[in-house]
Amino acid sequence: MMIRWALVLAVALAPYVASAATKPTPVAAEDKVHAQLRLALERAEAELAAAPSAIPVGTLKPSAVDPRVPLLRQRLDAMGVALPESAVPAVAVPAIAQADAAPAEPVPVVVTEPELIGPVAPATLVYDEALTQRVKLLQSRWGLRDDGVVGRRTLRALNFTPADEAASLRQTLARWQPPPARGKSITVNVPTAEIIAFENGVEVLRSRAVVGSPLTQTPLIQSNMIAVKYNPDWTVPPGLTKKYKAQMAAGHYDEMRKHNVVVKTPEGQTFDPAQVPPDMVGTMGWKFWQPPGDDNALGLLKFELDNDQAIYLHDTNNRKLFATDNRAVSNGCIRVENYLGLAAWVLGTDIPAVEAAIATGTTHFARVPSRIPVRMTYYLAYPDTTGGIRYGEDVYTLAEGS
């Protein structure tokens, strides 16, 4: 009887089984960042034959008269860096005559040589306002200080060839690991000095960062964010401890006192550096320590990570660094410009709640609801927020080993 019913059921379901077998297997959604990088590589490879003329080195400032200005204009044209019409500086127009004045006779158009600035400089060599605005737009796209001054890093951007682009894109594609498809995650990208936060694989927040210098590099590790520390204190790291000990040995205490750095014992006692022999620091748990406050090196927030290298994210008392071109200057940890937004996101709250917790002035922790993976990466090329590609600098000279 059971065999008979099994046969009946198989015959009844046969059309549905056949139909299901012909349906395509679901395909996972394509990695958007990987697709952008691959498309950019295809464009760069198609342009490899083009060898743009490099702009000679040397700082170029707005309003300057310089023979490189025409080449600068050509490079911006080739890179597609153009201002919207509404942003183009207006040209001064002579005042309109009084309404009761007789209409002016039409003035014939006369083709003349380029206007001269002074006795020798043609107007085509003037680094004018319109060109300055275009350079600022390029600087903004590259994550540089948008001051219009063509210095070393802006020249690098201007002289970046399709071959350079292709090399950076290949390096990134070779190293690329997509963010987790589920939950929250954070990527710290060293070459572009920025932090990207993802939720279910989709970017939700981006912030400028300060990363480790070439001498004190940010290690390319993966950790988990486990807590946010409000109004943190700071234990001075080994490199700076060595510097402070040398200052103590020479009888110089001004820098430590300026930043309210003291010597702290394991029992919690604190001493002015002048009261302690230099050799005591670093032994038996004695350390240089800075209490919480406006001048604290960690700023107002610290993002705790679970690694054994004492690497973490934090605010800073020197926020001017975020506006500089070279942001690879830290001792290895990562400073976050949008620390309030990041804290609100990782804790699942809002910025006013974060600010209220800071305003208490007390040092305390807030646990992250669920551990958030944080990966330190080294991508020389990464999509920006406008759909273009930002090319970072090989600050640790790791490109050859990619």
Side-chain angles (χ1 to χ4, degrees):
M1 179 66 71
M2 291 183 66
I3 295 174
R4 182 186 303 168
W5 277 110
L7 289 171
V8 171
L9 185 60
V11 171
L13 293 177
Y16 300 98
V17 173
S19 173
T22 60
K23 290 182 179 178
T25 303
V27 178
E30 187 174 19
D31 183 338
K32 182 180 178 182
V33 172
H34 188 275
Q36 287 178 274
L37 293 169
R38 196 176 63 247
L39 183 61
L41 178 58
E42 291 173 0
R43 286 196 299 264
E45 288 177 334
E47 298 171 358
L48 283 181
S53 300
I55 301 174
V57 298
T59 302
L60 179 57
K61 297 183 178 181
S63 302
V65 177
D66 194 291
R68 296 171 296 167
V69 167
L71 192 53
L72 172 60
R73 191 173 282 110
Q74 290 173 15
R75 291 293 298 125
L76 292 171
D77 289 343
M79 299 172 79
V81 181
L83 296 175
E85 291 186 8
S86 59
V88 176
V91 179
V93 178
I96 299 175
Q98 294 180 357
D100 58 352
E105 291 294 327
V107 178
V109 177
V110 179
V111 178
T112 62
E113 293 298 317
E115 179 187 353
L116 297 183
I117 308 297
V120 293
T124 54
L125 303 186
V126 177
Y127 185 14
D128 60 22
E129 178 61 21
L131 192 55
T132 300
Q133 293 303 320
R134 292 175 67 189
V135 169
K136 288 183 177 181
L137 181 58
L138 173 75
Q139 291 171 324
S140 179
R141 289 179 182 176
W142 278 69
L144 303 172
R145 180 173 46 194
D146 56 347
D147 56 5
V149 176
V150 180
R152 185 181 75 81
R153 285 182 170 81
T154 301
L155 271 174
R156 172 182 174 269
L158 287 161
N159 290 333
F160 211 69
T161 67
D164 296 325
E165 294 176 6
S168 294
L169 288 159
R170 291 191 194 103
Q171 181 269 359
T172 298
L173 286 167
R175 291 172 176 256
W176 175 248
Q177 294 182 33
R182 294 286 180 271
K184 295 181 176 181
S185 64
I186 295 171
T187 292
V188 177
N189 192 39
V190 171
T192 56
E194 60 186 352
I195 293 166
I196 305 112
F198 298 91
E199 196 151 355
N200 299 329
V202 178
E203 180 179 329
V204 294
L205 182 147
R206 189 181 294 222
S207 173
R208 286 188 174 195
V210 171
V211 296
S213 73
L215 293 177
T216 53
Q217 299 180 8
T218 296
L220 304 181
I221 59 175
Q222 178 164 320
S223 300
N224 294 293
M225 187 174 292
I226 55 177
V228 173
K229 187 176 184 180
Y230 292 102
N231 301 303
D233 55 348
W234 181 53
T235 297
V236 175
L240 193 53
T241 292
K242 184 177 179 180
K243 174 185 174 181
Y244 282 166
K245 287 179 69 172
Q247 290 180 355
M248 289 172 67
H252 300 152
Y253 309 104
D254 291 348
E255 182 178 346
M256 287 173 275
R257 288 169 176 165
K258 176 182 177 182
H259 298 294
N260 201 22
V261 171
V262 297
V263 176
K264 188 175 183 180
T265 70
E267 295 75 31
Q269 292 177 290
T270 59
F271 298 92
D272 182 89
Q275 298 177 293
V276 179
D279 292 342
M280 286 293 295
V281 183
T283 62
M284 298 183 296
W286 290 52
K287 59 190 179 183
F288 290 117
W289 178 79
Q290 187 185 42
D294 293 338
D295 195 40
N296 189 278
L298 304 187
L300 301 173
L301 283 177
K302 177 185 178 186
F303 299 87
E304 300 281 0
L305 304 182
D306 62 353
N307 61 77
D308 59 2
Q309 299 189 45
I311 296 297
Y312 46 84
L313 281 64
H314 63 92
D315 174 31
T316 176
N317 62 347
N318 186 10
R319 300 189 180 99
K320 292 180 180 179
L321 287 174
F322 295 115
T324 62
D325 289 347
N326 178 22
R327 299 201 300 278
V329 295
S330 82
N331 288 313
C333 290
I334 300 95
R335 307 174 197 178
V336 187
E337 183 175 36
N338 185 10
Y339 66 97
L340 291 172
L342 185 65
W345 178 74
V346 301
L347 294 172
T349 183
D350 55 25
I351 289 177
V354 174
E355 291 176 323
I358 293 172
T360 64
T362 62
T363 300
H364 63 286
F365 290 89
R367 285 281 172 186
V368 173
S370 181
R371 291 188 173 206
I372 299 174
V374 179
R375 194 150 46 92
M376 317 298 172
T377 62
Y378 202 82
Y379 300 141
L380 291 177
Y382 197 88
D384 62 22
T385 55
T386 66
I389 301 295
R390 179 168 294 173
Y391 295 95
E393 192 163 1
D394 186 12
V395 288
Y396 298 166
T397 60
L398 298 179
E400 293 181 3
S402 61

